[in-house]
Amino acid sequence: MTTLSTHVSRPHALAHFIARHWSTWGVPAVLILLIVFFSITAPSFATLANIATVLQRESVMAIAALGATIVIISGGIDLSMGAVIGLTSIVVTMPIVEWGLPAAVTLPLALIVGALVGSLTGVIVSFLRVPPLIATLGILLLTRGIASIVSDNETISGADLPAWLTALGRGFLGPIPVSVVIVVVLYAIAYLVMKRTRFGVHTYAIGSNESAARLSGIQVNRHKVIVYALGGFTSALAGILLVARLGSGYALHGTGWEFQIIAAILLGGTSIFGGRGSVLWTLVGVAVLGVLSNGLNLLNVSSFYQTAATGALLIVAVALSEIGRRSQRDDSK
């Protein structure tokens, strides 16, 4: 009986250990394993040209995921990131190409539009009490529809875009893509804000227990509007970077990205229930999905299998993270 219990408890103890430490070591370990695997199986994976391509492409995703991470930490969800990216690409390119406005005017305008879309979402969620999932789904459809109507659902060529703008998405500072530098700076600022400021403390508090946050004097509704506005702002910034990389505007740019962005955030250990997570770990989640997608493409694996692999990885990672969270909570009692 003792021998049987020992054999049963060992796998259970191993699973318990993996779950407890998954958020800290599990996802980085998966990233390292993927890099090693694809470096061996796909010779072109570890080349400088391919690494630069992956970094430039995933920089756009990382910037959009930054604001979305803060939204989820606050206890919300945002499905409109991809639609805002598409709308932003139109706001940037159409005035330049068709009206002759300078990019120095259209870029701030695009950021303002993104922040306004996010603010509208925050008002709907906070003051109209519409569930975030429904509110952001509605904003997604509204935003994408407006972008398609304004642009006649046509691609706007960016042939007239200034060189300094396209350099944001394609340029290099030495061996490092400019877009990567932008991501590093933004994430460093966001990390300090979330860890060292009242805004960050209030965001975690609202996500952990909204009722308790209200009783402690936090202006929850106003804070949520600001959080969603920030999410819209970073999505707009991602849209600008996408225009700089692709050199065109299109209403359907970013379609379906909201699911990849949320998957990356959850892979990074941010709790879908709010109150727990880190923007830095979101970067790791973005890297995992970027490496997985690129490596499977190089191996000529069908996109259907890629989607299935991403979904399976997401389910396993989030399940282990939540099991570990519950285990730590039980141990603290």
Side-chain angles (χ1 to χ4, degrees):
M1 185 68 176
T2 303
T3 303
L4 178 61
S5 299
T6 301
H7 285 301
V8 172
S9 63
R10 284 176 180 172
H12 177 75
L14 178 61
H16 181 77
F17 176 82
I18 293 173
R20 283 176 61 90
H21 297 280
W22 176 258
S23 295
T24 305
W25 303 110
V27 179
V30 169
L31 176 60
I32 293 171
L33 289 174
L34 287 174
I35 291 173
V36 171
F37 174 77
F38 289 127
S39 296
I40 295 172
T41 57
S44 59
F45 175 81
T47 62
L48 291 177
N50 184 64
I51 293 172
T53 299
V54 173
L55 289 175
Q56 288 176 330
R57 186 186 65 218
E58 298 308 318
S59 292
V60 179
M61 191 79 68
I63 291 176
L66 177 58
T69 300
I70 297 173
V71 170
I72 293 178
I73 289 174
S74 74
I77 192 77
D78 190 355
L79 299 179
S80 67
M81 295 92 70
V84 172
I85 288 172
L87 176 62
T88 300
S89 73
I90 298 299
V91 174
V92 170
T93 55
M94 179 175 282
I96 295 175
V97 174
E98 298 189 5
W99 306 335
L101 291 179
V105 172
T106 64
L107 264 60
L109 178 61
L111 294 174
I112 292 171
V113 168
L116 287 176
V117 172
S119 298
L120 176 60
T121 303
V123 169
I124 294 172
V125 170
S126 301
F127 294 98
L128 299 184
R129 303 296 182 185
V130 177
L133 185 66
I134 303 302
T136 56
L137 178 60
I139 292 295
L140 180 156
L141 298 173
L142 176 63
T143 303
R144 184 156 293 149
I146 292 173
S148 298
I149 292 170
V150 170
S151 64
D152 289 329
N153 205 34
E154 294 181 353
T155 300
I156 301 175
S157 173
D160 296 327
L161 296 178
W164 64 264
L165 175 56
T166 55
L168 296 177
R170 306 173 190 171
F172 288 81
L173 290 175
I176 304 174
V178 174
S179 57
V180 172
V181 176
I182 295 172
V183 168
V184 170
V185 171
L186 289 175
Y187 269 79
I189 294 172
Y191 177 79
L192 293 175
V193 168
M194 293 300 291
K195 294 297 183 182
R196 302 291 178 85
T197 70
R198 181 180 299 177
F199 174 86
V201 172
H202 287 184
T203 301
Y204 280 102
I206 293 170
S208 297
N209 191 322
E210 184 174 323
S211 297
R214 290 183 188 277
L215 292 175
S216 66
I218 297 175
Q219 298 295 321
V220 172
N221 290 345
R222 184 179 66 181
H223 193 90
K224 282 185 175 182
V225 172
I226 295 173
V227 166
Y228 278 99
L230 182 60
F233 180 88
T234 57
S235 294
L237 190 57
I240 292 172
L241 205 61
L242 184 64
V243 169
R245 185 170 68 86
L246 300 181
S248 65
Y250 185 40
L252 298 184
H253 277 339
T255 299
W257 283 26
E258 52 274 358
F259 301 110
Q260 297 179 51
I261 292 169
I262 291 173
I265 294 168
L266 299 184
L267 277 173
T270 296
S271 174
I272 190 64
F273 302 109
R276 185 170 61 92
S278 170
V279 294
L280 295 186
W281 285 106
T282 291
L283 268 182
V284 180
V286 171
V288 167
L289 293 187
V291 168
L292 178 63
S293 175
N294 178 255
L296 292 178
N297 281 332
L298 293 176
L299 293 176
N300 295 316
V301 175
S302 167
S303 61
F304 301 116
Y305 290 102
Q306 293 183 36
T307 302
T310 301
L313 179 61
L314 175 64
I315 291 172
V316 171
V318 174
L320 286 172
S321 178
E322 291 303 318
I323 291 171
R325 179 181 63 85
R326 290 196 300 268
S327 175
Q328 291 175 348
R329 184 184 61 191
D330 292 342
D331 290 346
S332 64
K333 290 181 179 179

